[in-house]
């Protein structure tokens, strides 16, 4: 769990049973794991023009806060580059879709 109150990050919504990850069956009969996150309003970085220094500074600050919040985080499936991957998504100006 991220513990920095200044970090702008979605919150996980528990299902009716209190679980943070639920199972559903899709229209093709495949079992899927899903979770619901709160919405953070804003725009995709690639749609912002011009990208001024204040915006870049804010992005760097959020990446730093994320890095600090993840200090000491360990999980058997995590990698040492977890934060670098998060920041790379923004820096490469890519938009990703997730199934919720």
């Amino acid at each position: 769990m991220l513990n920095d109150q200044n970090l702008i990050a979605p919150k996980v919504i528990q299902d009716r049973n209190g679980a943070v990850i639920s199972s559903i069956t899709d229209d093709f009969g495949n079992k899927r794991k899903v979770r619901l996150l709160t919405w953070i309003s804003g725009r995709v970085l690639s749609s912002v023009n011009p990208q001024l220094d204040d915006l870049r500074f804010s992005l760097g600050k959020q990446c730093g806060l994320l890095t600090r919040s993840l200090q000491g985080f360990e999980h058997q499936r995590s990698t040492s580059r977890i934060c670098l991957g998060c920041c790379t998504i923004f820096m490469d100006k890519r938009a990703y879709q997730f199934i919720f």
Side-chain angles (χ1 to χ4, degrees), residues 2-100:
L2 300 177
N3 56 14
D4 194 312
Q5 294 180 2
N6 296 317
L7 180 64
I8 300 170
K11 308 287 186 268
V12 178
I13 305 296
Q14 296 178 350
D15 68 13
R16 295 178 194 160
N17 299 318
V20 295
I21 298 178
S22 304
S23 296
I24 64 164
T25 302
D26 67 19
D27 293 340
F28 300 100
N30 300 309
K31 290 198 182 265
R32 305 285 183 182
K33 299 289 184 183
V34 296
R35 67 179 174 172
L36 181 64
L37 304 174
T38 58
W39 179 258
I40 297 175
S41 62
R43 294 175 20 199
V44 177
L45 183 62
S46 63
S47 72
V48 178
N49 189 12
Q51 294 180 4
L52 302 175
D53 288 341
D54 286 348
L55 176 64
R56 291 186 182 107
F57 178 82
S58 176
L59 176 60
K61 182 177 178 181
Q62 287 298 309
C63 285
L65 290 171
L66 179 59
T67 299
R68 183 173 66 195
S69 294
L70 291 172
Q71 292 298 311
F73 174 79
E74 292 185 28
H75 187 276
Q76 63 186 7
R77 294 187 179 181
S78 71
T79 67
S80 60
R81 302 224 176 240
I82 189 167
C83 183
L84 179 60
C86 293
C87 293
T88 301
I89 290 172
F90 293 111
M91 299 305 284
D92 285 351
K93 302 178 183 177
R94 295 182 188 152
Y96 292 88
Q97 278 189 312
F98 297 94
I99 298 172
F100 294 104

